[in-house]
Amino acid sequence: MEDHWTVGHVAELAGVSVRTLHHYDEIGLVRPSARTSAGYRAYSAADVQRLREVLAYRRLGFGLREVAELVGDPSTDAVAHLRRLRGLLLERRDRADAMVAAIDRELDARANGVKVTPEEQLEMLGARLYDEIGGAYTATRRTEPRIAAQIWEALGDARTVLNVGAGTGSYEPGDRDVTAVEPSAVMRGQRPAGCAPCVAAAAESLPFEDRSFDVAMAVSTVHHWGDPIAGLREMRRVARRVVVLTFDTDEPGWQDRFWLTRDYLPEFAAVLARFPSLAGMADAIGARAEPVPIPWDCSDGLFEAYWRRPAAYLEDHVRRAMSVWTKVGPQAERRAVRSLADDLGSGRWAERNGDLAGLDAADLGLRLLIA
């Protein structure tokens, strides 16, 4: 039969049993649209596409009833399903990364003779696992008004705004029509009541038509994306203008701008080793770059926020809201914290960084790309 595939061939290609395909047909989940001359099921290209969606959702752990609702949604086409699946897979990847980090911490603790409690052992597999990355954000991560003012000025007269990698909602302007995009369920769950509607999707596969928004914004999130350049181009596709707060690694010796990475955490350079250059990101969207100074009393607990308040980096809850520490690993974190504590106690940190005391703000590499 032309442009149709037999049930046996489809089962072989999909890696499932013929019985599974028969069951999907019986319950109306995937009904082949034709029969062979001998009366056997035959699948069209559209049938195979639906089967692909069903099997993908099943392998992500969805039940048959949930899968039926997802693939039966008349407002969702093949591209939207692919984008949704991609976002779910990226979230799963992030959870796997967090689990690896938790395992590394436990291995390191056991190697050093540190007792691991039952609670800590179960946390590796439980709901608190992903909190390693996102759960602490609301404690210290919030909108810094002076940084927000620079971002919002760059938005200009835009009325419709897409916030990509929106996290818990910081820096979303309250006087615009905002739509948020965030792949992490942990982050979405921490968004306050009444904030902008949030779509579960990844930056690299935005489920919107071309030029759907006046402006797309992204704040301190590009370094988390699997493909930053692809994500930036997607922002450019769906919006007339783009505003991105990111980090500059183009300047020679950039890691020496900040005393924490210069003196205590050289591993930070490796964390951003594959991060695209600022020039490359700007070229991808046709942007210009503006420096974004960090005030000494910055209320947003981003990595560089405490440049004039070094003792804050000794606080575990402060570090947990910074993804850098998860990425460098527990050994580097302990060494950095121990060395910083020693230097603060001895006065060596103050000797090295006494010139910071008179500064109200510092340029530590934050840049605003405006296209």
Side-chain angles (χ1 to χ4, degrees):
M1 183 177 294
E2 187 177 355
D3 295 326
H4 281 76
W5 292 264
T6 66
V7 65
H9 185 53
V10 170
E12 182 180 0
L13 289 174
V16 298
S17 68
V18 170
R19 174 177 290 218
T20 296
L21 297 184
H22 288 177
H23 180 59
Y24 288 171
D25 183 7
E26 290 165 0
I27 64 175
L29 193 56
V30 182
R31 283 191 169 145
S33 56
R35 296 271 174 170
T36 68
S37 57
Y40 295 110
R41 294 169 173 87
Y43 292 77
S44 68
D47 300 334
V48 171
Q49 178 179 293
R50 182 179 174 94
L51 175 63
R52 188 272 308 275
E53 292 161 1
V54 167
L55 293 176
Y57 285 122
R58 287 289 286 154
R59 287 168 189 175
L60 283 167
F62 288 89
L64 288 176
R65 183 174 296 177
E66 294 173 298
V67 172
E69 292 175 355
L70 287 167
V71 299
D73 182 355
S75 66
T76 307
D77 61 12
V79 172
H81 278 299
L82 285 173
R83 286 173 172 161
R84 177 187 285 160
L85 287 165
R86 193 176 192 282
L88 291 168
L89 286 167
L90 287 171
E91 182 177 334
R92 177 167 288 192
R93 182 193 66 185
D94 288 344
R95 287 180 177 272
D97 287 346
M99 181 177 284
V100 169
I103 290 171
D104 286 345
R105 281 193 297 276
E106 181 169 336
L107 287 172
D108 194 57
R110 290 179 181 275
N112 288 280
V114 177
K115 183 178 179 181
V116 181
T117 68
E119 291 83 2
E120 290 169 333
Q121 292 173 27
L122 291 176
E123 281 173 13
M124 187 191 79
L125 298 173
R128 292 180 60 186
L129 166 65
Y130 197 65
D131 291 356
E132 292 293 331
I133 293 175
Y137 268 54
T138 52
T140 62
R141 302 301 298 270
R142 54 184 68 92
T143 299
E144 162 51 53
R146 287 156 288 191
I147 294 177
Q150 189 170 348
I151 294 171
W152 295 345
E153 182 179 356
L155 298 181
D157 60 359
R159 298 309 309 161
T160 57
V161 178
L162 178 68
N163 186 16
V164 181
T168 58
S170 296
Y171 299 99
E172 290 178 0
D175 60 343
R176 325 279 179 119
D177 180 6
V178 177
T179 300
V181 167
E182 172 54 53
S184 167
V186 170
M187 290 293 196
R188 294 196 303 272
Q190 295 178 88
R191 292 175 63 81
C195 68
C198 190
V199 177
E204 299 90 337
S205 303
L206 296 174
F208 306 105
E209 299 294 331
D210 294 357
R211 302 207 159 213
S212 298
F213 301 90
D214 293 333
V215 64
M217 62 181 280
V219 178
S220 297
T221 178
V222 175
H223 53 287
H224 291 304
W225 300 353
D227 188 340
I229 297 297
L232 291 170
R233 287 174 176 158
E234 271 288 88
M235 292 176 68
R236 192 61 163 149
R237 178 184 66 79
V238 303
R240 295 172 181 83
R241 298 177 48 245
V242 177
V243 175
V244 177
L245 182 65
T246 185
F247 192 79
D248 179 11
T249 59
D250 288 3
E251 180 185 336
W254 61 267
Q255 60 266 50
D256 293 337
R257 284 181 301 222
F258 184 25
W259 54 262
L260 183 58
T261 56
R262 181 192 67 210
D263 300 330
Y264 303 99
L265 202 64
E267 293 86 354
F268 182 67
V271 168
L272 293 182
R274 297 182 181 178
F275 192 59
S277 67
L278 186 72
M281 291 188 288
D283 286 347
I285 55 175
R288 60 182 175 85
E290 285 185 0
V292 179
I294 302 175
W296 78 269
D297 56 349
C298 182
S299 59
D300 184 357
L302 46 83
F303 181 58
E304 301 87 358
Y306 306 97
W307 58 270
R308 219 182 86 177
R309 297 169 287 167
Y313 293 103
L314 306 182
E315 300 294 331
D316 185 73
H317 78 280
V318 169
R319 298 195 307 277
R320 292 288 68 78
M322 303 169 180
S323 62
V324 168
W325 300 102
T326 298
K327 292 179 181 297
V328 299
Q331 209 165 9
E333 179 178 1
R334 278 199 301 273
R335 189 209 64 245
V337 171
R338 183 171 58 247
S339 297
L340 176 58
D342 290 344
D343 285 355
L344 287 174
S346 68
R348 190 178 180 194
W349 183 91
E351 291 174 7
R352 284 178 173 171
N353 303 287
D355 58 324
L356 300 181
L359 299 180
D360 291 329
D363 179 0
L364 297 176
L366 282 190
R367 296 290 182 268
L368 196 62
L369 295 178
I370 304 171

